């Protein structure tokens, strides 16, 4: 882990601050001496969980509010140095069932956050967490930033608009934004209640509760990033001069099939059952096949690299939920 | 003009039906024997104008409502055969001043229209009017559909999301949508009150009112399409089997500089003054330089071509506003 003297005494705002990415980032920022404010709506279907920030509860400010509320955001951004804009609706299936809520959170709220920056704090560094999901079905692997963008669900359309607003507010108003497109990420503090944030979440829960892991399909390849590596990329995106106005992929070029990943989890747990199911029709429509990430741009431009191996990622995540599962289900 | 027996007795709904494209399309559809319903909000800053449908006032149904109202749209789409989805906020500058309204109309309303189709009429043919504006600053000329998309203003970001919803609802639900990306289009029934719809509108008004045409810059190349050619492309997009699930550019590969275009207008008017101004800073930020369209895809796939010359387009447009200016200012 890098030192990042940049963040010492800096005022940092994190939307989605009680969520998976937000809370891990907050814990790291506190250790770096930052003054951290977390914004979270605590919508039950999303990733926010007060237990996530238990290690830093007395070292951060928590502001419970919804990013769809433009007024609280206007107040909150005005005296900050860096905004990690991580709040989002992440469920692909929910976005198809209730597209309007996805639009409100992933488009309209993003626009009002950026409008708040434009009106009240144009020097605010903004890091926006996006997703590799908007590349859609890959045309080649590993996927780099030049790959054409073609969202395959409403969530992807809206996240792309959210990205475009961030790019635009840099181009037109000079607000120093940076966009990171994350691949599947796992680790402590992820949502494990269901598959809304990541399929690995519900796998882990089922494993620890003695239920079978349900694998849909199983042959699809995915790259799996560990949360500490994701946090490192966020810190670089919020501090490195080369990050301003840029879009970077964050992921791994090595991949694993879903079935093999499930087997690794069972092995790490020293036991567990796997059930392989046919891919259901409604999921098939929005499936993207295999995926691996070309992260060479962020490696060369910001000096980032993924360090934690998949085996370590699984071991650390499993250990965390063995101790803390009750707080997440 | 083609015959289009396809539209005889067909029920056709047009959003933005009292606007520039909508009204010209409606007049043509009535002549083809279609049963036409027009939806328009008559928002004063937009293109809707009751005078536009004066020739067919007794031959069409008019429903004044806002596409942001999901309930009226649900009712209106349920028994239609074809929807021409033309309602939109078109002003680039307004989208930067009031990004939220642009989002409501160009994103949220589009999503609720498509949701209405999904729930009530999945067989409805939908034609969505988009804009070449979302290619941003061209990387090469003429611009074809493979050109990368990079919106340069909030309007572009939102129109892209609107397009993506239409593409998605075809891919996922099979709703037969087609997207047309129009270049600058002129003709009778365009808004001439100001530059909100097209800069040619305010030029024409000033010319006819004896005021100077204000040209910003002047060297930028543009391709100018005549409305009858645009209407022809809409009819093809709403009837041709090859149109389903596709995106087509609609424009011209020949171009003219803005100054030269102003000179043509003055010449056609047998008089008038031109003032060339420096491009203002706020416009420069979102300017895209030269633009011409590669429309070969719609030519080969749907058999479309632009027929009306620029000189004819100017002459017909000028003639219309000489007679009818009072209804537009």
């Amino acid at each position: 882990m890098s030192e990042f003297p940049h963040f010492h005494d800096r005022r940092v705002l994190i939307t989605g601050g009680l969520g998976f990415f937000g809370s891990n980032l907050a814990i790291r920022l506190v250790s770096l001496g930052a003054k951290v404010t977390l914004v979270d709506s605590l919508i039950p279907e999303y990733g926010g969980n007060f237990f996530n920030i238990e290690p830093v509860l007395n070292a951060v400010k928590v502001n419970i509010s919804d990013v769809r509320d433009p007024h609280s955001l206007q107040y909150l951004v005005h005296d900050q140095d860096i905004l990690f804009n991580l709040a989002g609706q992440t469920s692909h299936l929910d976005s198809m069932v209730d597209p309007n809520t996805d639009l409100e959170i992933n488009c309209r709220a993003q626009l009002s956050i950026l409008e708040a920056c434009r009106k009240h704090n144009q020097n605010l560094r903004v890091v926006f967490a996006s997703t590799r999901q908007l590349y859609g079905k890959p045309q080649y692997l590993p996927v780099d930033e030049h790959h054409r963008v073609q969202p395959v669900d409403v969530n992807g359309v809206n996240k792309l608009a959210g990205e475009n607003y961030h790019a635009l507010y840099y181009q037109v108003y000079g607000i120093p934004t940076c966009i990171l497109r994350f691949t599947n990420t796992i680790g402590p503090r992820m949502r494990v209640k269901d598959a809304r944030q990541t399929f690995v979440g519900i796998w882990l829960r089922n494993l620890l509760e003695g239920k079978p892991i349900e694998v849909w399909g199983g042959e699809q390849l995915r790259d799996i990033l560990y949360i500490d590596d994701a946090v490192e990329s966020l810190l670089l995106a919020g501090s490195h001069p080369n990050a301003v106005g840029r879009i970077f992929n964050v992921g791994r070029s090595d991949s694993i099939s879903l079935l093999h990943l499930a087997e690794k989890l069972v092995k790490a747990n020293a036991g567990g059952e796997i059930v392989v199911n046919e891919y259901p029709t409604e999921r098939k429509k929005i499936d993207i096949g295999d995926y691996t990430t070309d992260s060479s741009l962020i490696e060369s431009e910001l000096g980032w690299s993924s360090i934690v191996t998949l085996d370590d990622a699984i071991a650390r995540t499993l250990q965390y939920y063995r101790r803390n599962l009750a707080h997440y289900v």
Side-chain angles (χ1 to χ4, degrees), chain A:
Chain A
M1 291 201 292
S2 317
E3 280 304 310
F4 290 109
H6 181 89
F7 289 98
H8 190 74
D9 271 345
R10 288 298 178 100
R11 283 159 300 188
V12 180
L13 185 69
I14 307 177
T15 67
L18 299 181
F20 174 32
F21 277 49
S23 61
N24 281 287
L25 175 63
I27 292 165
R28 181 77 189 282
L29 281 167
V30 166
S31 79
L32 295 171
K35 294 169 180 166
V36 179
T37 302
L38 308 177
V39 180
D40 206 289
S41 63
L42 285 176
I43 298 173
E45 288 77 21
Y46 298 1
N49 184 337
F50 247 108
F51 183 75
N52 278 342
I53 57 159
E54 192 267 332
V56 291
L57 199 51
N58 298 317
V60 299
K61 278 190 210 167
V62 177
N63 189 100
I64 302 303
S65 66
D66 194 304
V67 287
R68 286 170 289 186
D69 164 17
H71 304 288
S72 68
L73 260 299
Q74 287 202 12
Y75 170 76
L76 289 165
V77 300
H78 87 282
D79 63 349
Q80 299 291 330
D81 297 311
I82 302 138
L83 164 64
F84 291 98
N85 188 12
L86 313 180
Q89 197 299 105
T90 58
S91 164
H92 310 310
L93 284 176
D94 286 1
S95 82
M96 301 304 288
V97 174
D98 179 8
N100 197 51
T101 298
D102 193 275
L103 180 146
E104 289 291 310
I105 292 175
N106 290 326
C107 295
R108 200 161 67 82
Q110 302 312 316
L111 199 48
S112 45
I113 288 168
L114 288 162
E115 280 287 285
C117 298
R118 176 171 78 84
K119 289 175 189 159
H120 303 289
N121 191 353
Q122 293 210 7
N123 296 319
L124 187 66
R125 288 275 301 236
V126 181
V127 180
F128 178 63
S130 184
T131 164
R132 63 105 177 117
Q133 226 265 337
L134 29 102
Y135 292 116
K137 201 176 167 65
Q139 297 184 304
Y140 56 84
L141 295 175
V143 174
D144 60 18
E145 292 84 355
H146 296 292
H147 190 284
R148 71 103 181 74
V149 161
Q150 187 165 57
V152 295
D153 53 26
V154 168
N155 183 250
V157 175
N158 293 337
K159 286 296 284 189
L160 177 59
E163 269 200 8
N164 281 332
Y165 298 136
H166 282 79
L168 190 69
Y169 275 62
Y170 168 68
Q171 286 152 23
V172 178
Y173 304 115
I175 296 168
T177 63
C178 178
I179 294 157
L180 299 180
R181 291 178 177 161
F182 286 101
T183 193
N184 296 75
T185 306
I186 67 167
R189 303 177 180 84
M190 67 185 179
R191 183 178 174 97
V192 298
K193 204 168 196 166
D194 50 41
R196 282 197 162 85
Q197 197 173 72
T198 159
F199 61 91
V200 185
I202 188 66
W203 283 10
L204 205 83
R205 176 185 182 172
N206 285 344
L207 189 69
L208 292 175
E209 291 182 342
K211 296 173 195 159
I213 292 178
E214 285 190 279
V215 178
W216 302 95
E219 290 169 12
Q220 310 96 304
L221 298 178
R222 290 287 182 277
D223 62 318
I224 308 288
L225 186 71
Y226 187 60
I227 184 64
D228 287 3
D229 287 331
V231 165
E232 192 83 4
S233 72
L234 288 165
L235 295 172
L236 287 164
S239 59
H240 200 296
N242 291 358
V244 173
R246 306 292 293 274
I247 298 175
F248 298 109
N249 284 349
V250 188
R252 296 175 69 99
S253 55
D254 59 338
S255 64
I256 185 168
S257 76
L258 295 188
L259 182 58
H260 192 183
L261 178 63
E263 288 166 351
K264 266 188 186 290
L265 273 169
V266 168
K267 195 176 163 200
N269 190 49
E273 194 190 339
I274 296 168
V275 176
V276 179
N277 293 316
E278 275 287 294
Y279 219 40
T281 316
E282 71 170 346
R283 274 228 162 232
K284 213 173 237 169
K285 282 177 181 169
I286 58 174
D287 179 48
I288 54 112
D290 295 337
Y291 193 90
T292 57
T293 306
D294 181 340
S295 305
S296 54
L297 191 65
I298 191 170
E299 289 168 16
S300 63
E301 290 289 315
L302 308 191
W304 178 83
S305 60
S306 67
I307 289 167
V308 182
T309 65
L310 181 57
D311 285 333
D312 279 357
I314 288 171
R316 294 187 203 176
T317 308
L318 200 57
Q319 186 186 39
Y320 182 84
Y321 286 97
R322 277 214 185 105
R323 289 183 190 155
N324 302 307
L325 187 65
H327 297 284
Y328 290 89
V329 295

